[in-house]
């Protein structure tokens, strides 16, 4: 069993996305080297909190900021495009949808069999 983060405003039929916690920890490492130090604290904390199982509700305005940062990671030439890059872009898309709808972007952890 592995832990996954389930985010709202995702691309599946139920409006959710599922991401392995290990992938989000990897994204946090990329964020530390790509996003300027003054701007990365909330993103890195969000991505690393994935391991703790903490449920997060992110206001729409903050989701818009996080979306821009996630896109920056997803487009960086040193990020693996088919793994971390794809995950960063999927998260950015979900955050953008939440911000555009004026809804909070919600995260929670669930244990699931390997996907």
């Amino acid at each position: 069993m592995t832990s996954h983060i389930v985010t709202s405003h995702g691309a599946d039929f139920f409006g959710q996305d599922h991401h392995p916690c290990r992938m989000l920890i990897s994204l946090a490492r990329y964020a530390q080297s790509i996003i300027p130090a003054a701007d990365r604290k909330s993103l890195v904390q969000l991505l690393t909190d994935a391991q703790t199982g903490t449920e997060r509700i992110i206001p729409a305005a903050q989701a818009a900021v996080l979306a821009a940062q996630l896109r920056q990671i997803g487009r960086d030439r040193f990020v693996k495009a088919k793994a971390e890059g794809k995950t960063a872009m999927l998260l950015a898309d979900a955050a953008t949808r939440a911000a555009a709808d004026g809804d909070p972007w919600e995260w929670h952890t669930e244990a699931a069999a390997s996907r």
Side-chain angles (χ1 to χ4, degrees):
M1 293 265 229
T2 59
S3 293
H4 284 73
I5 292 296
V6 180
T7 63
S8 66
H9 297 83
D12 76 359
F13 178 76
F14 300 104
Q16 297 178 334
D17 280 334
H18 300 259
H19 304 285
C21 288
R22 64 177 166 67
M23 181 65 71
L24 300 181
I25 299 306
S26 182
L27 280 177
R29 283 188 235 120
Y30 280 115
Q32 290 175 337
S33 62
I34 295 170
I35 306 298
D39 301 329
R40 69 177 167 228
K41 183 180 178 181
S42 61
L43 177 61
V44 171
Q45 184 174 358
L46 176 65
L47 294 171
T48 56
D49 280 353
Q51 287 183 335
T52 64
T54 305
E55 186 171 321
R56 298 289 302 267
I57 298 175
I58 301 141
Q62 186 181 6
V65 172
L66 294 173
Q69 292 174 340
L70 288 161
R71 277 193 209 299
Q72 186 176 354
I73 294 168
R75 292 179 177 150
D76 191 274
R77 67 184 180 144
F78 294 110
V79 175
K80 297 175 191 171
K82 290 186 179 180
E84 287 88 348
K86 180 180 178 182
T87 300
M89 296 305 277
L90 288 170
L91 286 168
D93 290 345
T96 299
R97 282 190 288 276
D101 292 346
D103 294 338
W105 190 32
E106 300 176 17
W107 288 45
H108 69 272
T109 305
E110 75 177 27
S114 296
R115 288 184 169 253

